[in-house]
Amino acid sequence: MTVILLLYLCADATRTDCQVLPAQLWKGPDAYEQCRAILPDLTKALTTPNRELHRLICEVQAENPQPSELVVRPAVTHQSFRM
């Protein structure tokens, strides 16, 4: 399993205009657990206003993506919409 820690840098608290930056990568059977284990400390390291703006997410990546699953992701910008 491959897990990427993603940092969403957002312009405002609505999180509708965010840039996504990969921060770290883990591989192995316990990759997700390793990523989740560091989230509390990283979140505490953010200032209170930044905790409302930014978000850290552990995302599991497919090991062998099929051609239909291959998606070209934007290098810098990402829109995130919440209902």
Side-chain angles (χ1 to χ4, degrees):
M1 173 186 321
T2 300
V3 177
I4 298 175
L5 175 65
L6 298 174
L7 173 59
Y8 284 74
L9 296 173
C10 304
D12 59 37
T14 64
R15 295 186 181 144
T16 57
D17 183 21
C18 301
Q19 292 182 4
V20 181
L21 301 172
Q24 192 162 346
L25 174 102
W26 291 268
K27 289 187 178 210
D30 62 342
Y32 187 75
E33 290 78 14
Q34 290 177 4
C35 182
R36 295 283 302 168
I38 69 162
L39 287 181
D41 290 336
L42 291 175
T43 301
K44 284 184 208 174
L46 293 170
T47 63
T48 302
N50 283 336
R51 280 186 213 133
E52 295 174 13
L53 294 177
H54 310 315
R55 186 172 189 154
L56 295 156
I57 303 219
C58 295
E59 182 177 291
V60 177
Q61 300 292 301
E63 288 300 316
N64 295 314
Q66 301 299 318
S68 63
E69 295 175 6
L70 295 176
V71 177
V72 176
R73 294 186 178 188
V76 178
T77 60
H78 176 77
Q79 295 290 325
S80 175
F81 298 98
R82 295 179 171 249
M83 301 299 269

